[in-house]
Every structure is written in C-alpha cells, then in structure tokens.
Amino acid sequence: MSCRICERLRLGIVIAPRKNLLLSSLLVGLAIAISLCLIGAAVTKGQTELIDKVEILEDPTAALTVGQIDMKAFHPANRVIIEGYTNSAFWIRLHVREVSGEQYYKLSVRPTDLDEITLYVPDAAQPDGWRAIHAGGLNRVVDAQKPSSLRAFRINPAVDGGVYLVRVASMGALGIKVSALVEFEAERQSLRADLSQISYLCLMLALMIWAMRLAFVTDEPLLWLYGATQAAWITHNAIHFGYADVFIPNSIAPQVHMANRGLVILASFLTLMLHTAMLGRFSPPRSSLLLLRAILGIVILSIVLFVFGKFSPALELNAVAMLVAPVCFLINAFTARKSPPPGLITLRVIYSLFNLVLFAWILTLVGLLQSDTYAQWALMIYGLASGLLMGSFLNAISKHRLAEAEQAQLSNLQLKERSRVEQAQNQTLTRFIDMLTHETKNAMAVINMSASAPNFGQRQRDRVSAAISGLTSVIDRCSQSLRMDMQDEVVTPELCDPAGILRDLCQTNPLAARIKLTAQQEAWLHSDPALLRVIFANLIENALKYSPPQSVVHVIMQPAAMSQQLIWFENEEGAAGLPDPVHVFEKYYRSNRAMVQIGSGLGLYLVQGLVRNLGGGISYEPKEGRARFRLWLPC
C-alpha cells in the first residue's frame, strides 16, 4: 500500500490536502450556508405573496375525483405542508387574490419530484367545472409550457375567480411549498433558488472530485465510499431540484423519476457503509457494530423490496432505518476504544454535529418535525453539513496516511542512497582487491623468477629488492588512501621549509642523479611537514617511474607570491605515454601502457586529496611531450 502511495507521490500527483482544498471548500460552504439564509430572508421579505388562504383535504384512498371533493370538508393549512411518508393523495384549495395592474401570476409547487402535481383551474366548459393541468412526477408537462426547474403554472385570478385546486401525491416523503407571485417576482425567486442550489451542487461536486483524487493517491477505501456517496447524493439532489426535467425527454421521465426514488435508498446504503467502516477503525464494542450492521441489513431489505416493485414499503423502511441510524452512530462513537488519527475527541465532536443535522433532516422528512423554514432548506443543510463534516474527518485521516507514505518514501530514498553508497564502496573495494592482487602477483612472479635463476647474483637481488620495494609502496599508498577517504588523516600544521624537505627526498632517492631541484634557500610554510613529504615523494616517484631512463626530472620551486608557494614537477614522456588529463587524478587510474610496471593508481589521487586537506591545489598541464604538474600551497 505504502509503495503505491509513494510511487504516485513520486509521479507528482498532487492531492487536495496538500493544497488546502478542503479548507477552501469549508470556507466556500460556510459562505454558501450564509447566502442561503440571506436569500431565504430576502425572498420572504421582498416578495408579495398572493395566496390568502390554504385549505387541505386528505384522500386516504387516492381515488377521489375533482367532482367528488366539493362535498368534502377542507381544513386550514400553511403554505408549507409536511406529511411525511403516506399513501394518501392530498387536495389543496388555494385562494389567490388579485393585484391591480397585473394580469398573469405564477403558481409554483415545490419540490418538483412528487409523483403527481395537478392543477385544477375553474372552467365552466368542463363537465365537472374544472380543467386539469399536469406537471412533474410521473406525469410530465403536456401543455405548451417551456421546460424549467421552476414547476410553475400561469394563472389569471381575474378570469378564474381566484380559487384553485392542486392534487399532490408521492410514494416518498411528502413535503411541499406552494406560492403565488406576479410573474416578475416569480422569475426572480426562481433565479435566486437556482443560484443557491447550483452553488450547493458545485460545492458537493468539488468535494466528490477531491475525494476521488485523494482516493486514487492513497487507495483509502473510505474515500472511495465517500466519493460514491457524494455522487449518489448529487444526482438525487439535481433531480429533486428539477434540473433533470430540462434535459431528459418526456419518454423516459417516469423511469428517471423512479430511479431517483431508488437513489434515496442507494445513498442511505452507501452512507451506512461509509460510517460502519469509519467507526469500525476506532474499535467500538462488537454489539455496537452489530447495531449498525442490522440497520445496514434493513436498508438492503429496502433495496430488495424496491427492485421487486414494492416502492412505498421500501422507502418507508429505509426512512425508519435512517431515523434510528444517528443513535447507533453516537453509540459507536462514544463507546469506541481505540484512538487512531484524528483521535477519539475529533470523532465524537464531528459525529455529534453530524448526527444532530441528520436527525433533524430525517424528522422533517417523516413529518415529525414541523418547521416551515427548516423544511425549505433541510435537504441542502444536511448535504452541506454531512459533506463538509465527513470530508474534514477523512481529510485528517488522509493527511496521516500521506504523512506515513512520505515518511516511507523518505526512508526508501535513504535506503536507496545507503545502497548506492554501499555499492560504490563495494566497487571500490573490488577494484582495490583486484589491483592489490595484480600487483602482488607481479611482484611475486619477479621474486620467484629471480630466486629460481641458476646463478642468483646481484642483478637478481636488485630485481627482488625493487619488486619488494614496489609492493611496499603500493601497500603504503593503499593505507594512506584509506585513511584519507575515511577522513582519518590528521593535519598538524607547523612552520616548515618545503625546500629542505625536497632536498632531503632528492638526496636520499636511489635515482637522485636524475633529479634536478631548483629551489631558493629558504621558503617557509605553515603546513604539515609529514603530509608534504608524502605529497612530494609521490610526485617525484611518479615522474621518475613514467619518464624515459636516464632522463632528467625537474623540480622547480618558484619564489612565494600572492601568499602561495608554487612548485613544478616536470618530466619527459616515457613508454607509458602521457596520462589522460580527464582521468589523471581518479582513483585507480592507470593508462594501459603503464600496467607493465608495479603501481596502484593511487599516487596522484592521494596527492590531490592531501593537497586539498592542506588548503592548496594541484593541476596537470602537459606541454610539448612533457608531463607537468603544478602544485601550489598556502603560505
């Protein structure tokens, strides 16, 4: 899991928490919630409501005709009517007053996803005295009215007498609001409602996209469930607000309407799945989780009933399950025993707020909470609260997962870097062993050949001595190089004379006759004399080894200038040729033609490292068939 997250982070897939998208969404959601209240207040205050009186008649059989209800008794009602889940049809009698100078009004009935919304207008030409106009639900608009999310009828009280009948029915929860306004105010109300609803849907869509993107990065199952729940809820809300009617043809309207009823149960199922999985992480008692699973089983039964055409029982059973769910959520949250990120306190605070909103919405849905104002905004308030609260909770979980993944990625990079260093060290060690083995074999071969000669004379002794000396030099350089690489070389600066060191080295060298030293009498440096001796000895030995026999090696020490002491080491090109300027100071570098002589390939590498430790520098500057090394040291 962590490997997949690290790989996706490595590919540069930037997710919302790292850009504070959820924080922005919270602020936007807060702004929308405030705007909803302001819009509602502005609509209520600014509009001139033309409905003087509302009366209602319940038809339990849903079989009464418009001609049969004249003898029935209507009861006073409000413009917002909440009946919950019921199989009854309801007749609403509206008394609409006239406004001077206005001919046509708009009579709206919301929400638009009821099974039936039929307006009856007085018409003496009809046998029963009423003309029916259908709108919404299973019976789409058949009159010549433009498609709109506003389910509004055009009426003229001056002609119709100002009394209208509306028949509504729904297999789902029945909660409606009726309003009559002059055309201008009705259109303005519709635009305001559309503004708030579309803003709300955009926010919910942003939360869904955030969840899906983050789920792809983290492979967190909770985020996939949250995204799926948001998708089902957004689709249901869009149809509930009437926007589907603008796009879908009349031929499939009944199927879309019924699918929207099923979306209510699907959204409940996904919501319960999400909360069961989320609360399960905090290890509540087994009995508490069984309560949630039992409610989940009831919702699954609702789905089965719905599939087999038992629509009303399915919806009612689903409502009962969701009414009990908030209590079970709280029981699990407050009995949880583990505290994984973001912690038990956060869990309990968020679930307390979430369940408060959910419980209020369900009570309104089933008709137990009679609040006209809350009923108008309950759907969006619940959607905003649940989306933002659960989103913030999942955001905290995801941040922890991403932090773990980033730490794993960092550990992985450190492991790779350690592996790379170890591999480089192994390669260096392999080259070192190969070089040492090669040079040892060469020295032993010389010694063996000399020792097995019939006459072991001075010539053989000299060859054996040279082989042993060369092998000793290789071992010494290996040891010095190892100490330098391990930064185990201690620099002990003191006042010293480099010219004196060079003279001593030249005079004690077996090939002193080939060395020509040009140096002033005194040239004092504040440096480490032991390291200077190693540097000078290696450069002199290198020049003698790779120059033609009997040729002169020049060591030139120029007067100190600009706080630096400059020394040149120069020799003619020998059989091995001139070294490659690009690789000359590399560890173990030796040209192919130089392999015939004993050597480690460490001399110049060692010189460069020691010179740097002393604060100086060295460069290779070949000229006209001559190898020239320029060494400068601080005074």
Side-chain angles (χ1 to χ4, degrees), residues 203-205 207-208 225-235 383 386-387:
L203 173 61
M204 301 297 281
L205 184 62
L207 288 172
M208 185 192 76
L225 274 172
Y226 176 82
T229 304
Q230 288 293 101
W233 188 248
I234 290 168
T235 306
S386 62

Side-chain angles (χ1 to χ4, degrees), residues 439 477 511 514 538-549 551 553 571-579 589-604 625-627 629:
E439 299 306 326
R477 287 182 180 176
L511 301 175
R514 292 182 54 198
N538 274 279
L539 288 169
I540 293 171
E541 182 182 343
N542 188 75
L544 291 169
K545 182 185 294 185
Y546 296 111
S547 59
S551 65
V553 171
N571 63 274
E572 296 180 13
E573 179 181 357
L578 295 177
Y589 167 74
R590 298 184 75 197
S591 65
N592 292 332
R593 288 189 291 173
M595 293 297 182
V596 296
Q597 301 187 57
I598 293 178
S600 63
L602 291 172
L604 293 176
R626 300 180 68 83
F629 288 89

Side-chain angles (χ1 to χ4, degrees), residues 287-576:
S287 56
S288 300
L289 275 177
L290 284 176
L291 286 174
L292 273 181
R293 294 192 177 103
I295 296 173
L296 191 60
I298 294 173
V299 176
I300 293 173
L301 179 59
S302 300
I303 295 175
V304 174
L305 291 174
F306 192 88
V307 169
F308 283 96
K310 305 295 183 180
F311 304 124
S312 292
L315 291 167
E316 291 173 9
L317 189 61
N318 178 71
V320 171
M322 294 308 294
L323 185 61
V324 179
V327 178
C328 293
F329 291 160
L330 288 175
I331 290 173
N332 279 271
F334 281 89
T335 59
R337 294 166 292 188
K338 288 187 179 179
S339 185
L344 278 175
I345 294 177
T346 304
L347 173 79
R348 289 164 181 169
V349 169
I350 285 182
Y351 265 89
S352 296
L353 295 172
F354 168 73
N355 283 285
L356 180 64
V357 178
L358 175 60
F359 199 58
W361 177 59
I362 295 296
L363 286 177
T364 303
L365 200 64
V366 298
L368 297 178
L369 179 61
Q370 296 286 329
S371 172
D372 294 356
T373 303
Y374 185 76
Q376 297 177 53
W377 307 103
L379 187 69
M380 284 192 283
I381 291 173
Y382 166 72
L384 280 172
S386 62
L388 292 171
L389 287 172
M390 291 301 106
S392 63
F393 189 78
L394 290 172
N395 183 59
I397 293 176
S398 301
K399 277 187 174 180
H400 179 72
R401 290 286 301 276
L402 287 170
E404 287 182 338
E406 288 176 347
Q407 183 60 42
Q409 185 182 33
L410 179 61
S411 299
N412 188 42
L413 290 174
Q414 291 173 342
L415 184 62
K416 286 182 178 179
E417 178 63 19
R418 192 178 302 116
S419 176
R420 186 192 64 78
V421 171
E422 290 177 355
Q423 186 177 11
Q425 290 174 342
N426 289 338
Q427 290 176 347
T428 300
L429 181 61
T430 300
R431 293 181 64 184
F432 167 75
I433 293 173
D434 289 344
M435 178 274 299
L436 193 59
T437 301
H438 178 266
E439 299 306 326
T440 302
K441 285 182 178 179
N442 286 345
M444 294 307 296
V446 170
I447 293 171
N448 183 58
M449 183 176 63
S450 300
S452 61
N455 299 314
F456 191 80
Q458 187 60 41
R459 178 185 177 86
Q460 284 74 24
R461 291 192 187 91
D462 291 342
R463 291 183 65 185
V464 170
S465 177
I468 294 173
S469 176
L471 186 57
T472 303
S473 176
V474 167
I475 294 172
D476 288 343
R477 287 182 180 176
C478 290
S479 176
Q480 290 169 342
S481 173
L482 184 61
R483 286 199 306 272
M484 186 182 70
D485 288 343
M486 296 179 65
Q487 299 181 350
D488 202 24
E489 195 75 65
V490 179
V491 178
T492 308
E494 61 182 67
L495 198 63
C496 56
D497 178 16
I501 297 173
L502 284 170
R503 289 191 195 93
D504 183 56
L505 288 171
C506 293
Q507 292 171 1
T508 57
N509 193 293
L511 301 175
R514 292 182 54 198
I515 306 172
K516 182 179 180 181
L517 174 64
T518 303
Q520 59 192 31
Q521 292 300 319
E522 291 183 350
W524 298 98
L525 298 178
H526 194 70
S527 188
D528 188 322
L531 295 184
L532 287 178
R533 178 174 290 276
V534 173
I535 292 168
F536 295 158
N538 274 279
L539 288 169
I540 293 171
E541 182 182 343
N542 188 75
L544 291 169
K545 182 185 294 185
Y546 296 111
S547 59
Q550 312 306 320
S551 65
V552 177
V553 171
H554 293 274
V555 180
I556 304 170
M557 187 171 177
Q558 295 182 351
M562 301 295 291
S563 300
Q564 288 185 345
Q565 180 66 60
L566 186 64
I567 306 173
W568 291 88
F569 295 82
E570 184 176 339
N571 63 274
E572 296 180 13
E573 179 181 357

Side-chain angles (χ1 to χ4, degrees), residues 38-145:
L38 294 176
I39 289 171
V43 170
T44 304
K45 182 179 180 181
Q47 69 190 17
T48 304
E49 180 56 57
L50 302 177
I51 297 178
D52 284 334
K53 186 168 64 171
V54 180
E55 298 173 300
I56 190 169
L57 169 66
E58 182 175 2
D59 176 12
T61 64
L64 292 177
T65 65
V66 69
Q68 295 172 330
I69 66 169
D70 287 338
M71 302 302 294
K72 302 292 183 179
F74 280 76
H75 304 284
N78 297 321
R79 288 191 302 108
V80 176
I81 301 169
I82 303 172
E83 295 293 339
Y85 286 91
T86 175
N87 293 322
S88 300
F90 290 86
W91 292 85
I92 304 169
R93 186 156 59 198
L94 305 173
H95 298 262
V96 182
R97 71 175 183 272
E98 298 180 39
V99 177
S100 177
E102 297 289 344
Q103 183 178 8
Y104 290 104
Y105 310 150
K106 287 289 183 70
L107 175 64
S108 64
V109 181
R110 288 181 176 272
T112 62
D113 63 344
L114 300 173
D115 292 345
E116 180 188 347
I117 305 173
T118 306
L119 173 68
Y120 289 89
V121 180
D123 188 348
Q126 299 297 324
D128 51 15
W130 297 91
R131 176 168 55 90
I133 303 174
H134 299 290
L138 297 175
N139 300 306
R140 293 294 300 277
V141 177
V142 295
D143 301 272
Q145 300 185 36

